Amino acid sequence: MSPARARSAISACLRSALSHAVREELVTRNVAQFVTLPSVRKKKRKAWTTDEVRIFLESARSARDAMFAAYVLAVVLGLRKGEILGLTWADLDLDGGELTVGRQLQRASGELLHRETKTEASDDTLPLPDVVITALRHRQEAQRADRAKAGRAWQDTVGLVFTTKTGLPIEPRNFNRSWDNRCDRAEVRKITIHDARRSCATLLVDLDVHPRVIMRILRHAQFSVTMEIYSQASSAATKAALHKLGDSLGG
C-alpha cells in the first residue's frame, strides 16, 4: 500500500471512531443540560393614561355605545370581562351605591356558563363612584327600552345587566369586538379589556392611592401582584417624582 493510501485509510478509521464516540456521547449524556438559555423577559402590559381613558369613555358616551357602562366598569373599577358580562341587577344597589362581585359569564367547552367567581378574593362588595352609578342608570333605561321594543321576543336571562336587543347574554368575543371598535373610533392606543383593568390600577397609583387599597379594589389574591403594578407607575408619575426630587436638592 502506498503512503498516500495508508494515510487515507487511517483518516477514514479515525473519522469512523470519532463518529461512533459522538453517537455514544449523545446516547449516554443529555447535552441540553449544559446549555444556558437566556432569561425570558416578562412582557410589560399596556395601560392607558388618564387622558386616554377620558377620550375613550367620552367617545363611547357621545356615541351612546350600548356597552358604555361596561367600559366604565372596566376602567374605573377594574372589573374582569367575565365579571362585567355576568353582572346582574340583583348584584347592584344603585341607591346605596354598592356593587357585589360574585359571578361571571364565560364560554367553556362550547357552552356559555354563568357561575360564581373562582376565589374568595374575587368575591367582594365595592362602593360605586357617581360616574359608575350614572352609567348604570343609563344602561337600565336602555335595557327597558330594548325590552319594550322586543316585546314577546324578549328572553329573560337571570336579570343580566348587559344583554342583546332581545335579552340574550353578550358573547365574550362580541364584547372584545365592541371594545376594539371603540378604541378605533376614539383613536386611542388599542389595549385589551384585561389591560383596562391594569389601567385602573396605574391610574390609582398616579393618584397616590395606597397599594393595600388598590389590592382591595382589584381584589387581588396576592399582594405581590398589586406591588408589581405599583412598582411600574406611569412614566408621567415617574417623571414628576424625579423633578420633585431634583427641586428638593436645589435644582
Side-chain angles (χ1 to χ4, degrees):
M1 180 183 296
S2 67
R5 294 183 63 183
R7 285 195 297 271
S8 178
I10 293 172
S11 178
C13 289
L14 288 175
R15 285 197 299 270
S16 177
L18 180 59
S19 176
H20 179 73
V22 169
R23 288 197 299 269
E24 288 296 319
E25 183 74 3
L26 289 174
V27 171
T28 59
R29 299 178 66 192
N30 180 9
V31 295
Q33 65 182 319
F34 300 106
V35 178
T36 302
L37 296 176
S39 59
V40 178
R41 295 184 63 183
K42 193 172 182 179
K43 186 177 179 180
K44 189 175 181 180
R45 305 293 300 189
K46 299 177 183 177
W48 276 337
T49 64
T50 302
D51 287 339
E52 287 173 314
V53 170
R54 187 180 297 110
I55 292 170
F56 176 82
L57 292 182
E58 179 58 28
S59 171
R61 187 193 65 79
S62 299
R64 295 186 178 181
D65 193 315
M67 299 304 290
F68 171 64
Y71 305 152
V72 171
L73 291 171
V75 297
V76 177
L77 292 184
L79 262 62
R80 301 171 177 88
K81 176 173 62 178
E83 294 169 342
I84 294 171
L85 299 181
L87 190 67
T88 69
W89 292 112
D91 298 325
L92 292 165
D93 179 1
L94 297 182
D95 293 329
E98 287 187 342
L99 176 155
T100 300
V101 182
R103 284 172 282 194
Q104 57 185 338
L105 186 74
Q106 292 181 328
R107 181 164 288 284
S109 302
E111 187 177 0
L112 203 57
L113 303 175
H114 189 227
R115 54 191 178 186
E116 294 183 355
T117 49
K118 295 180 180 179
T119 64
E120 291 183 6
S122 298
D123 190 356
D124 205 352
T125 298
L126 298 173
L128 295 177
D130 289 342
V131 64
V132 178
I133 295 176
T134 300
L136 287 170
R137 288 197 186 280
H138 284 310
R139 172 59 200 154
Q140 197 171 44
E141 292 172 4
Q143 191 180 67
R144 286 170 180 165
D146 288 341
R147 184 170 191 149
K149 187 175 181 179
R152 296 178 63 181
W154 182 263
Q155 304 288 321
D156 283 314
T157 49
V158 298
L160 290 172
V161 173
F162 299 103
T163 54
T164 66
K165 295 292 185 180
T166 57
L168 294 174
I170 300 292
E171 282 283 348
R173 286 185 179 180
N174 289 340
F175 185 33
N176 289 341
R177 294 190 185 99
S178 296
W179 176 273
D180 291 342
N181 288 337
R182 181 49 53 191
C183 286
D184 290 337
R185 293 177 183 275
E187 297 182 347
V188 295
R189 284 184 301 134
K190 185 174 289 186
I191 65 173
T192 66
I193 299 168
H194 184 75
D195 289 332
R197 175 174 165 81
R198 191 175 188 89
S199 296
C200 171
T202 56
L203 294 179
L204 291 172
V205 171
D206 290 350
L207 293 172
D208 292 327
V209 177
H210 193 279
R212 284 290 180 185
V213 178
I214 297 177
M215 180 183 182
R216 164 76 194 286
I217 293 173
L218 297 179
R219 292 157 292 115
H220 287 150
Q222 297 180 336
F223 188 56
S224 59
V225 176
T226 308
M227 287 309 300
E228 179 188 354
I229 298 174
Y230 201 85
S231 65
Q232 295 176 357
S234 72
S235 58
T238 303
K239 184 177 180 179
L242 291 175
H243 276 303
K244 185 176 180 180
L245 175 60
D247 292 341
S248 70
L249 296 175

